[in-house]
Amino acid sequence: MYYWSSHSKETTTQPVQRGIGKSLFFLLICFAWLFPGLVGHEPWKPDEAYTFGLVNHIFKNGDWIVPTLAGEPFMEKPPLFYITAAAFAKVFSNWLPLHDAARLTSGFFMGLALFFTGMSGRELYGRGKGLLSVLALISCLGLLIRAHELITDLALLAGIAMALYGLALSLRRHIIGGILLGTGTGISFMSKGLIGPGMIGITVLLLPILFQPWRNRFYLQTLIIAFAAALPWLVIWPLALYQRSPALFMEWFWTNNLGRFLGFAGLGPKSETAGYLKMLPWFAWPALPLAIWTLWQEKRNLFKRPELHLPLTAFLVMFGVLSSASDAREVYAIPMLLPLACLAAASIDTLRRGATNALYWFGVMVFTFFGCVIWFYWIAVELGIPAGLSAHLKDLQPGYTPVFSWFVFSVGLIYTAGWLATLVRTKRSKERPIIIWATGMTLVWGLLMSLFISWLDAGKSYRSTIYSLTQAIPAHIGCIASQGLGEPQRAMLDYYANIITQRAELGKGAECDLMLTQGGVDNTVSLSPDWQQIWEGNRPGDKSERYRLFQRPASVK
């Protein structure tokens, strides 16, 4: 049996390994990075709003087979994330608003992704490198906002992280490795369909083709076990969906999986040439340059280093598959950060002194500057100093009323003090730059989600707009038709007001006395002269969306 004896090797990460205090420090960073933003705000457009609409349906009706948005089947993704979020909502809704309770699911899946990334780093490169892998991951710019949103991509991320750890473990402990590989593959499938298992499957096939250490019977046994572990995830829900409705099954499988990837369905934002290649330098900073340094250092021994084969192959497969897809979004690139973080951890203790110092001081200056800017803007928002900036920020969010909170102020001070303490107490070492980048990301996110979360929520929430709409609805109205209304808006109408509109785009609502339209500043939705506008509104500070409510006399129906 071939395996790398990473756990028996001494590494140069002594500042990381020494004592429980260091591990607790890293756990504190992870918690301080992970928790802010999970609670304390309404579902935000676009992804959170429509995702919560699907969660809300399962919470109210218990139907986990057909994902449903505002009364209509929504077959874009399998329901694992929605089911889990509904369960979190059931458990925690007595203490939190329903949407906040559901959003704890994001923290759960992101926590799993961090855990398995750390375990992969430790398995591949030895003690201490798992913590560095996690720090490299949370340092990435592209992950910061998405890691705290109510989105299914985080369940996909957790599943792929688990599968990669199963592969890393497979040459040493093939039974548990196979179970983790299969379970992670199943979770990725139940999160976003075929894309996750596709990328994992190609990686699994390429490893023994390209690299000799993976060509053995233990690896084959791992794959057999993985197939058995994945099978229930791959079969139960699709079979239940097909039994419920073959038409909905085909809509999910053919249109929303193959159709989106190949482009014949005409769904989703179109990819641009070399889009991910252009995006990765900022999206994966600082993990990407550190990963490149690892490969450059080992370029002559690359085929002899099995601990590099897995993350390198996984990254190239993900990059190739995502780049060849017809539709593309930056959120789709999140899984690529997992192998990059592992590769980055492998090279940190080999960085030259000049590069270490440059990365460290760049991080210190960047995050100290942005920390000061956030505090300066908060003073302008809450205290009105300086007056010009305060007036500008008020114009951006006219729905926000400044209210000084000692709790919010104290949380901001705690994050700032933590940053300053890290600067003072972190001793010079090879690991110091990645510690600073992870702590700096935590500082910026913690300050934004404590000092500015209410200010941001005032403009991103649909609650006040929908409340204004409900006040304008005449009494004794049987139904409301809609035209041009997006998925997030329909979901929030159902959540806040229990209103499910009859969509004119589907040929419904001809008998309704009211019509709700969504358009731009100019009314781009054309209706017959019989309709008379009785209400107009928008989210505070939103200059792109306008909602208009029309009524027509019963005599002209």
Side-chain angles (χ1 to χ4, degrees), residues 90-108:
K90 288 278 189 183
V91 173
F92 294 102
S93 58
N94 289 332
W95 299 278
L96 293 170
L98 191 62
H99 51 269
D100 279 347
R103 200 183 293 111
L104 293 178
T105 310
S106 301
F108 169 72

Side-chain angles (χ1 to χ4, degrees), residues 358-379:
L359 189 59
Y360 169 76
W361 284 110
F362 181 50
V364 169
M365 291 186 292
V366 165
F367 293 116
T368 301
F369 171 77
F370 279 107
C372 292
V373 167
I374 293 171
W375 274 110
F376 181 71
Y377 273 65
W378 178 81
I379 292 172

Side-chain angles (χ1 to χ4, degrees), residues 343-356:
L343 286 172
S347 71
I348 288 174
D349 56 5
T350 67
L351 281 177
R352 295 172 182 173
R353 179 179 297 180
T356 300

